Amino acid sequence: MNIVIATSEAVPFAKTGGLADVTTALAKALQDLGHEVSLFLPYYPQKYAAGAAADLPLASTGHDVSVPVGGKKRGGRVLRTSLPDADVSVYLIDQPLYYDRRELYGENGADYKDNCERFTFFSRAVMEATRLLDLRPDILHAHDWQTGLIPALLKLEYGRTSQFAQTGSVITIHNLAFQGQFWHWDMALTGLDWKHFNWREMEFYGHLNLLKTGIVYSDFITTVSPTYAHEIQTKANGAGLDPVLLHRADRLIGILNGVDMSQWNPETDPYLARNYDSQTLATGKAACKADLQKRLRLPQRPEVPLVGMVSRMTDQKGLDIIAGCIDAILVKDLQMVFLGTGDANYESFLTTLAERHPDKVSATIGFNETLAHQIEAGCDMYLMPSRFEPCGLNQMYSLVYGTVPIVRAVGGLADSVVDATADNLRSGIANGFSFVEYHADALLATVKRALAAYQDQQQWRQLVATGMSADWSWQRSARRYVDVYQHAALRRTVAWYRAHPPEET
Ligand code: ADP
């Protein structure tokens, strides 16, 4: 199939979270399965120059787009490169006014005020560039609110042209908490008729909602784990969009993300003090642990359990329940390392904690890809007590790196971590620790269970081996996406033939 993926972030060009890992890994896995993939994202020059993409050659396609944004026409260059070590074409939409900024979506805790305009432009530019490049995709795959307009543009405008007549659309929800909600006047930016600003289409309680738009207009909707697909259809977890998702339940599918083994593999990871696999885990992890303790200026104690966390430091990630039991956790003989950025109050909570317990806690405030890898490899346990978690990647990275996850059983965490109950241990499926109730006491009890299990070397080895031996690769997930694409494309083809019946002879 011929697939166009549109996203606001992709590794190694720009990343704020899991979305960037997922879009790149999916593109590569689809290409490996024999499909033709084109990946579109904005050209953020400051991120491009600062990251691993800086060495990739960037060429002009010779095409410029010019698209309506509100009352005006806005132009953009279409640049081209490809993913490192993969034959995936990457098209970057260059418009410095919108994308030559320090960050992707906002600075100092505030969103950029023109985000609706920035991503309306991007969505329209993707459609226009796809047309100019004559890509004729079978599938347009949008991701999150930033590209939510694309399925609507396909249905309401481009689908009427022969180039897109048989193109199906899919939108993936990576996190329902971010919906791209803007005041109603921003509807004018989209260039779509105001008649679509109603509760069945683009309007949501008086606002323009771009994620809802994508959900309403896509042929299929996917989200990043089966459990999250169920959770978001409930009032408790639907972030207001549960009625819309329930209405489209027959087109909503949960597909667990995979791990990009070219990036996250302890056997080949270039950031580690020593590479290892399941056979050499003991010596490899010991070297990585010693290296991590040294880097973070923690006492070099091989025997002490080392617990890590790499995360956006926000309410979603369970920082409040960590704060609720941290003193009780730190009574135990263990070390903890935190890496992340986010809410100022959580950042200062962690910094203060590290100052109060220099022998036990390290807190690095910032975004640091290298250190993230070193934490996954050097720690014995990984903490992810999320309030909600669409999929979560770090618990899967942990499993691959022989680091035992301690998680709350929600969303993708429930789909990937099997609690070390007596039954699960006996049947050999346990690979971590989980709890259900979102409460500091439940977290504390689970951390205590993990610390006790760590003392039982044989049980610990079994947990680690179970996690490391599972198939977390993207190939498995990509095959499920292909199924969805085929259904979406088929529906469009049938619709097209219905609209163009063969002439009677
Ligand atoms: P989310 O997308 O909700 O932020 P995920 O677990 O799905 O959470 O993905 C987070 C990704 O971002 C992981 O690859 C994680 O390692 C990375 N990450 C998050 N914060 C940091 C940070 N401060 N430094 C380096 N990597 C980070």
Side-chain angles (χ1 to χ4, degrees):
M1 298 183 94
N2 187 352
I3 301 148
V4 163
I5 294 178
T7 175
S8 57
E9 44 185 290
V11 166
F13 307 101
K15 168 170 170 172
T16 66
L19 170 65
D21 295 303
V22 171
T23 45
T24 298
L26 174 62
K28 283 200 276 190
L30 290 168
Q31 193 88 12
D32 287 347
L33 291 175
H35 303 283
E36 185 77 26
V37 184
S38 308
L39 188 70
F40 281 81
L41 79 158
Y43 176 57
Y44 309 98
Q46 301 187 34
K47 295 286 174 197
Y48 199 91
D55 299 335
L56 295 174
L58 194 58
S60 168
T61 56
H63 290 292
D64 291 336
V65 294
S66 174
V67 298
V69 183
K72 50 191 182 284
K73 281 263 184 180
R74 182 75 77 196
R77 287 192 309 157
V78 185
L79 308 175
R80 182 186 176 145
T81 183
S82 54
L83 286 182
D85 313 320
D87 190 22
V88 174
S89 298
V90 178
Y91 295 102
L92 297 144
I93 305 295
D94 179 27
Q95 170 44 267
L97 200 67
Y98 292 139
Y99 309 125
D100 190 2
R101 301 192 186 174
R102 271 226 329 266
E103 296 301 335
L104 269 56
Y105 311 125
E107 289 173 42
N108 307 321
D111 287 346
Y112 292 131
K113 287 202 163 49
D114 57 350
N115 272 349
C116 186
E117 182 170 339
R118 296 170 75 223
F119 291 103
T120 292
F121 169 78
F122 177 62
S123 299
R124 282 201 169 272
V126 170
M127 297 305 295
E128 199 50 21
T130 302
R131 185 183 73 77
L132 290 171
L133 293 160
D134 200 24
L135 295 177
R136 296 181 179 265
D138 299 301
I139 289 294
L140 275 169
H141 188 170
H143 293 265
D144 278 350
W145 70 264
Q146 291 89 341
T147 49
L149 203 55
I150 285 180
L153 293 172
L154 177 65
K155 280 262 156 65
L156 302 175
E157 293 184 4
Y158 285 80
R160 302 202 177 111
T161 66
S162 65
Q163 274 183 318
F164 290 88
Q166 295 186 42
T167 304
S169 63
V170 176
I171 188 164
T172 296
I173 303 168
H174 295 261
N175 192 337
L176 198 64
F178 304 109
Q179 299 186 2
Q181 192 147 288
F182 303 97
W183 76 324
H184 62 285
W185 286 117
D186 279 351
M187 181 67 193
L189 291 172
T190 68
L192 295 174
D193 196 302
W194 275 94
K195 73 180 182 197
H196 301 295
F197 192 74
N198 65 69
W199 68 275
R200 286 179 178 278
E201 295 172 80
M202 302 172 74
E203 183 256 355
F204 185 68
Y205 293 103
H207 290 83
L208 170 66
N209 186 313
L210 292 180
L211 184 62
K212 175 179 172 180
T213 302
I215 293 169
V216 167
Y217 282 102
S218 291
D219 292 310
F220 278 86
I221 304 126
T222 73
T223 187
V224 287
S225 70
T227 297
Y228 193 61
H230 287 293
E231 288 171 349
I232 58 179
Q233 294 176 49
T234 65
K235 196 169 171 45
N237 300 298
L241 286 181
D242 41 297
V244 184
L245 291 159
L246 262 176
H247 183 67
R248 303 227 58 202
D250 61 331
R251 302 291 185 84
L252 171 60
I253 291 146
I255 303 176
L256 195 69
N257 289 331
V259 172
D260 182 349
M261 298 298 285
S262 73
Q263 302 294 315
W264 292 93
N265 181 350
E267 286 183 57
T268 52
D269 192 327
Y271 302 123
L272 307 192
R274 186 167 320 163
N275 291 113
Y276 60 89
D277 60 16
S278 54
Q279 301 305 312
T280 54
L281 172 91
T283 49
K285 194 173 255 306
C288 293
K289 185 171 176 176
D291 177 65
L292 186 63
Q293 287 170 326
K294 191 164 160 219
R295 275 175 200 283
L296 300 177
R297 299 198 182 81
L298 288 168
Q300 299 240 337
R301 294 179 53 206
E303 79 292 352
V304 73
L306 181 53
V307 185
M309 181 169 183
V310 180
S311 183
R312 289 184 291 114
M313 297 299 175
T314 64
D315 277 339
Q316 180 197 331
K317 302 293 181 177
L319 268 297
D320 52 346
I321 60 171
I322 293 178
C325 65
I326 194 71
D327 290 337
I329 291 178
L330 289 173
V331 167
K332 301 279 179 191
D333 186 25
L334 85 174
Q335 294 178 348
M336 301 186 83
V337 300
F338 295 93
L339 166 64
T341 53
D343 295 352
N345 56 334
Y346 290 133
E347 290 184 358
S348 75
F349 156 66
L350 292 172
T351 312
T352 311
L353 198 66
E355 283 164 6
R356 273 178 39 216
H357 301 274
D359 283 357
K360 286 193 156 182
V361 180
S362 154
T364 307
I365 305 303
F367 197 94
N368 185 333
E369 189 79 32
T370 307
L371 185 57
H373 286 245
Q374 291 161 345
I375 289 175
E376 284 295 0
C379 287
D380 301 296
M381 304 170 200
Y382 189 87
L383 198 57
M384 211 159 164
S386 304
R387 185 185 291 272
F388 66 94
E389 196 58 75
C391 175
L393 292 169
N394 277 301
Q395 84 281 10
M396 290 193 280
Y397 299 157
S398 299
L399 291 164
V400 170
Y401 279 66
T403 305
V404 176
I406 301 170
V407 306
R408 176 154 180 260
V410 280
L413 299 172
D415 292 331
S416 52
V417 176
V418 182
D419 190 26
T421 59
D423 273 355
N424 290 339
L425 280 167
R426 238 190 325 274
S427 48
I429 56 172
N431 61 10
F433 295 87
S434 64
F435 60 98
V436 174
E437 198 193 350
Y438 189 75
H439 198 283
D441 291 346
L443 169 60
L444 177 62
T446 312
V447 171
K448 284 183 178 168
R449 273 202 296 137
L451 292 174
Y454 185 72
Q455 301 309 324
D456 178 345
Q457 286 295 308
Q458 198 189 340
Q459 190 186 103
W460 197 259
R461 273 200 296 272
Q462 185 193 329
L463 284 175
V464 168
T466 306
M468 285 185 96
S469 62
D471 176 13
W472 302 107
S473 76
W474 259 101
Q475 299 300 320
R476 202 188 41 158
S477 316
R479 283 199 192 90
R480 300 223 46 216
Y481 276 102
V482 172
D483 282 347
V484 174
Y485 294 159
Q486 278 166 344
H487 278 92
L490 187 66
R491 294 195 70 86
R492 292 288 292 162
T493 307
V494 169
W496 189 86
Y497 276 107
R498 283 211 182 113
H500 302 85
E503 281 175 24
E504 301 282 339
T505 50

